[in-house]
Every structure is written in C-alpha cells, then in structure tokens.
Amino acid sequence: MADFAIQRRTMVDNQIRTVDVTDHGVLAAFLTVGREAFVPPALRDLAYLDRPIDFGGGRRSMQPAQLAKLVQLAAPRAGEKVLIVGAATGYTAAIVADMGATVVMVEEDAALAAAAKANFAGSASVTVVEGPLTAGAPAQGPYDLVLMDGAVAEMPEALLAQVAEGGRAVYVEGEGNSALATVSVRSSGRISSRAVFNLPGHLLPGFAPAPAFAL
C-alpha cells in the first residue's frame, strides 16, 4: 500500500521547493493536504507524480509545483474570504483553507462538484457552489482573493467585479507554455494588473479566446 505521507514529503522537497516556493505556510499546506483524496480512485497511486491529473471531459488539475507557485503568488491569509473558480474536486480549496482562509469554490461539472461536496461534507471552511465558472459566486462576495484554478484567455469583468476593495485576483492568462501568472488588484475602485512570471496554462471551460472576426 502506498505511503502517501512519504510521497507528499517527496513532492514538496523534489518538486515544489525546487521552483522557488519558499513560503512556510504554502509548504506546510502542501505537506498537510492529501492530494490522493482529490483524484479519481484509479489514479491515487499516481497522485504525487509531477503531472496534472486528468478528470476527463477536457478537465485536468495543475501540476503540484505550478499550483504551489500560483498559491504563493496569491498569498492567501488567515481570515480572508477566497473565491476559487474551476476548483474541480477541491484540492486547491483544501490547500487555501488549510492556510486559514474561508473558501467558496465554484465548479460547473456536476460529477466534480458532487465529489467536492463529499470531500468537504461538514466543513466550516469550504463551501461548494455548483454553477457556471464564468459567473463566479457573487451572492457570497465580495472576496479578498479570487483565484482561478486553471487558465483564462482573458479575465472576465464579471469575476473581477467580485474582488473587494484592496483585494486581488490571481490567475494564469493564456494557454500553453507562454501563459503568464497575473495579479489584478482593486484599489480606489479600479483594477490594475501585472504579469509576474510564466506558468503553463490549460484553459478552463468557458474561458477560451473569443472567435476572431474574419471577412
């Protein structure tokens, strides 16, 4: 039987630390939260490989090192309210909740949302909302942090509108190896954005580029 605790330590030491993830809270969360609990049962023995998890239907998770870099950039803090969009079965939500935030996660795939609800049954820290990813969860907002658990061609205004004053949205903009980890901050009612580093992107459903007009 796999020793997931040892595999988790190896993942953190050999995958996550090696990409300059140094925040102690991020490292502690990735050491604590069992990734194997958030993958399809048939793939649990592969949970700690340096690869995305395929959920089917074009959906897949981020690789652990990529996700850890994005979470470190997002810097969730204890007591913050966080919206996670495209959270699948809830691994990222569990990581952020372990860091002390209160999480609302949105998932539109019914099977993934059902798995997430089972994973967080009885949790006071994570609320699962089943609905369109592009809509977010405005009824529970605004949020100190909006975190996209996957890439977008362009961050929609409807999601940026759910960022509280002084809050931020963190997301991967673009597709493939040229995508960029980006931070958008709301200050004095306005959003300002900056790209921080390259991070491979796999687009979430509903966030593909708009078709180009051609004669």
Side-chain angles (χ1 to χ4, degrees):
M1 185 175 180
D3 190 326
F4 291 122
I6 291 175
Q7 292 184 25
R8 205 152 46 243
R9 168 65 68 178
T10 301
M11 175 190 72
V12 169
D13 289 343
N14 295 349
Q15 298 175 38
I16 292 176
R17 292 182 188 273
T18 59
V19 294
D20 297 323
V21 175
T22 58
D23 182 272
H24 292 296
V26 175
L27 295 172
F30 276 86
L31 281 169
T32 301
V33 177
R35 194 173 188 235
E36 73 279 0
F38 297 91
V39 305
L43 299 179
R44 282 182 179 158
D45 286 343
L46 308 177
Y48 292 99
L49 296 183
D50 186 19
R51 52 173 278 183
I53 295 295
D54 187 353
F55 292 109
R59 296 293 299 280
R60 69 187 193 196
S61 69
M62 298 178 70
Q63 291 174 232
Q66 295 169 4
L67 177 60
K69 287 193 71 171
L70 196 66
V71 172
Q72 179 171 260
L73 177 63
R77 295 182 286 272
E80 288 192 319
K81 182 191 287 187
V82 179
L83 173 66
I84 300 180
V85 178
T89 59
Y91 180 58
T92 303
I95 292 287
V96 172
D98 190 76
M99 296 176 70
T102 299
V103 177
V104 176
M105 60 160 281
V106 179
E107 179 49 59
E108 67 182 25
D109 180 281
L112 295 178
K117 289 175 181 177
N119 287 333
F120 295 112
S123 171
S125 299
V126 179
T127 300
V128 181
V129 175
E130 184 177 347
L133 303 185
T134 53
Q140 288 89 345
Y143 302 94
D144 301 298
L145 167 64
V146 174
L147 178 61
M148 304 299 293
D149 203 356
V152 300
E154 184 177 3
M155 190 66 171
E157 288 297 326
L159 293 178
L160 291 174
Q162 296 173 47
V163 177
E165 178 66 24
R168 68 265 184 222
V170 176
Y171 50 96
V172 178
E173 189 167 70
E175 188 173 18
N177 291 331
S178 62
L180 293 166
T182 303
V183 179
S184 294
V185 177
R186 181 177 296 282
S187 178
S188 300
R190 297 185 177 182
I191 293 285
S192 59
S193 303
R194 62 187 177 93
V196 184
F197 50 78
N198 285 101
L199 199 67
H202 179 72
L203 294 175
L204 288 165
F207 295 94
F213 177 76
L215 293 175

